[in-house]
Amino acid sequence: MMSIPDSGPWRLTDATVPIGMVAPPVAAKLGLKPTQDGCYRLILDIDGDGDIEAIWPTGGAPETQSTTVRAGNAHVWTRMADLHTHIDKSQTWARAPNRDGTFNGAKEAAKADRTAPWSREDATARMEFALKCALAHGTRSIRTHLDSQKGRTQPTWEAFADLRDSWAGRIALQPCASLGAAKLMDGYGEEVAALTAQYGGVLGPVLYPGPEAAAQVRRAFDLAERHDLPIDFHTDENLDPDSSGLSLIAEEAIRRRWQGSIVCGHCCSLSLKPADEAQRVADRVAEAGIGVVALPMTNIYLLGREATSTPVYRGLAPIHLLRAAGVAVAFGSDNCRDAFHPYGDHDLVEVFRETARIGHADMSWGPWADAVAAVPDRLIGLQETNSLKPGAAADLVIFRGRSFSEVFSRLGAPRIIVVKGRALSEAEATPPAFSELDGLSGLAPAE
Ligand SMILES: [Zn+2]
């Protein structure tokens, strides 16, 4: 394994970097030519403060006195950003499994897991476990939905705020108040919006189809306006072609000339609408400036599940249509080892691979790499966008694989995670052992 210097400036040569992770003006200025995979071959100079000092095309750099580290054409990515997670529910599968694998089964199991409120110790330990996984895999920003129904906000929000402080400098964290949009309609809506503002968070209504949806969307915008909050809707997480939450949200945002940040997660039903209608919706979403986050791993688990048949429709947002219409499209983890999705390790490389497989983003791997990095990082808005450019922090993931096929075929291969120019220790760059959680109620494996 290559070794990254602990101090002083250094140079990384023979790095294969996806197009979507290099700032476009840098690529234009250097006249970079992509490989077949959609990557550039680059040399990065990193200064003693851990920032990128200069970027050169392979073969085009002046000599240097700095320590030189050779990547051997290995993939080098920017550290990534996860726009849609639920770290509060992470790792609860063992005690709250989904008995029938459906969306309703997941909701029932999650509710039962909260009949006795989580202890602060339980919430903290599982959230921190999720952060350790994410850090080891190369994530640097996370927005997480936190269950925020009446009586359920604490101890989660307080535990989250402590973790946000103690993890600053490793992962930037943003909370999002998650609850059914109907629950915002009465006085509790004001209460939860005020709490969200107090913690510097995002309002996260879960919008279900129905005659009340339009009024719920208006209410969410009213609250966001009054409390100056970004909004992040769970939208059309179903396979009903008539489900039109995304359209309602786009029209409301356009009507209000909304300037604040809006993200819509899931958007599955759009994939089942007639082509001309889907195109019209995508155009309006672009006009409204709404970012869409596709969450394929959870959706292929939950949607299209019938006990007696093999699923055909799996619920991926139409990522190509949306992107072609000019919509900012991100890929996110969503649920991880809970009743909504029993798998996952907070690994955006896995998310990218699965989206590439399911959504055929593999015809343009390199350009799509911004969907797990620059696009979600910009929508989260906590850090300067993570595209490679001089002056940006050297926040890197160095793989062993030299092509997308090699990287995606061996996800378990060790990665070097560089935070502000320095490599994480081997312990920090290794995901935590599941046995770390065995002391928590209901999480040890059955005897
Ligand atoms: Zn979600």
Side-chain angles (χ1 to χ4, degrees):
M1 220 42 193
M2 66 192 74
S3 118
I4 308 295
D6 290 333
S7 63
W10 55 286
R11 169 174 281 185
L12 182 65
T13 66
D14 316 314
T16 300
V17 184
I19 286 176
M21 291 178 165
V22 179
V26 172
K29 189 172 159 214
L30 297 176
L32 299 175
K33 299 272 181 295
T35 63
Q36 254 189 346
D37 260 11
C39 295
Y40 299 127
R41 292 263 156 73
L42 298 176
I43 296 168
L44 307 179
D45 281 338
I46 291 151
D47 68 20
D49 295 327
D51 293 328
I52 294 170
E53 192 172 16
I55 300 175
W56 315 95
T58 285
E63 290 206 4
T64 182
Q65 303 300 314
S66 303
T67 308
T68 294
V69 177
R70 292 183 200 290
N73 289 335
H75 263 224
V76 175
W77 294 13
T78 59
R79 282 210 298 149
M80 293 161 278
D82 209 339
L83 180 56
H84 186 126
T85 67
H86 293 262
I87 66 169
D88 60 339
K89 288 201 276 287
S90 186
Q91 315 302 322
T92 52
W93 174 261
R95 70 181 186 216
N98 187 334
R99 296 293 179 195
D100 65 4
T102 65
F103 187 78
N104 280 335
K107 277 174 69 177
E108 289 310 311
K111 217 189 251 175
D113 191 50
R114 288 295 306 257
T115 41
W118 292 325
S119 71
R120 179 129 178 194
E121 181 202 10
D122 177 80
T124 301
R126 290 184 298 92
M127 287 196 280
E128 185 145 48
F129 188 93
L131 298 179
K132 286 181 190 171
C133 299
L135 181 72
H137 293 309
T139 299
R140 71 167 202 161
S141 308
I142 293 177
R143 172 181 291 178
T144 181
H145 296 259
L146 300 174
D147 278 7
S148 296
Q149 299 87 346
K150 201 178 246 171
R152 283 182 162 198
T153 51
Q154 303 299 359
T156 320
W157 281 74
E158 281 178 12
F160 171 85
D162 281 355
L163 287 170
R164 176 166 60 178
D165 289 346
S166 60
W167 277 74
R170 289 179 287 172
I171 297 179
L173 289 165
Q174 182 178 57
C176 179
S178 181
L179 71 174
K183 298 191 168 76
L184 294 173
M185 298 307 281
D186 60 17
Y188 185 65
E190 288 290 345
E191 218 176 287
V192 82
L195 171 111
T196 305
Q198 181 199 330
Y199 283 91
V202 178
L203 191 63
V206 181
L207 188 65
Y208 297 102
E212 308 84 16
Q216 291 167 358
V217 167
R218 287 196 296 276
R219 171 71 169 165
F221 275 91
D222 286 345
L223 290 169
E225 186 163 17
R226 223 163 17 252
H227 296 269
D228 195 19
L229 299 171
I231 323 177
D232 186 327
F233 289 94
H234 277 71
T235 316
D236 300 323
E237 189 177 2
N238 58 59
L239 295 178
D240 173 3
D242 293 328
S243 180
S244 295
L246 182 59
S247 200
L248 284 176
I249 294 162
E251 295 308 323
E252 188 65 18
I254 291 168
R255 191 178 70 75
R256 291 179 185 241
R257 297 191 172 83
W258 192 257
Q259 296 302 311
S261 167
I262 308 172
V263 169
C264 288
H266 297 290
C267 306
C268 309
S269 63
L270 187 60
S271 64
L272 291 168
K273 287 189 185 294
D276 55 340
E277 192 188 340
Q279 182 67 56
R280 270 200 305 278
V281 174
D283 289 340
R284 295 295 271 175
V285 171
E287 189 183 336
I290 294 171
V292 169
V293 56
L295 305 159
M297 294 192 356
T298 297
N299 287 146
I300 61 164
Y301 176 72
L302 289 176
L303 298 188
R305 188 181 287 268
E306 303 284 345
T308 54
S309 65
T310 307
V312 178
Y313 296 107
R314 311 302 297 274
L316 178 67
I319 55 173
H320 299 285
L321 173 81
L322 288 162
R323 185 152 151 138
V327 177
V329 177
F331 308 153
S333 293
D334 207 3
N335 300 77
C336 192
R337 300 198 67 241
D338 67 16
F340 291 82
H341 182 230
Y343 317 110
D345 205 32
H346 301 280
D347 181 1
L348 283 162
V349 183
E350 183 190 13
V351 171
F352 188 2
R353 181 184 73 174
E354 295 309 295
T355 316
R357 279 176 164 165
I358 301 159
H360 289 179
D362 43 13
M363 291 297 105
S364 52
W365 276 311
W368 270 115
D370 66 359
V372 291
V375 170
D377 221 25
R378 180 166 57 73
L379 291 166
I380 292 170
L382 292 177
Q383 312 206 61
E384 199 187 328
T385 298
N386 52 346
S387 298
L388 288 189
K389 60 178 178 236
D395 264 6
L396 308 171
V397 184
I398 305 174
F399 295 87
R400 290 200 175 172
R402 297 159 301 172
S403 64
F404 276 103
S405 173
E406 287 186 4
V407 169
F408 286 162
S409 297
R410 201 168 282 173
L411 288 190
R415 304 170 196 173
I416 296 174
I417 311 299
V418 176
V419 178
K420 192 84 173 143
R422 304 296 160 211
L424 291 183
S425 68
E426 205 183 317
E428 282 181 302
T430 305
F434 290 116
S435 58
E436 280 189 16
L437 296 173
D438 286 356
L440 295 177
S441 163
L443 291 185
E447 292 292 316

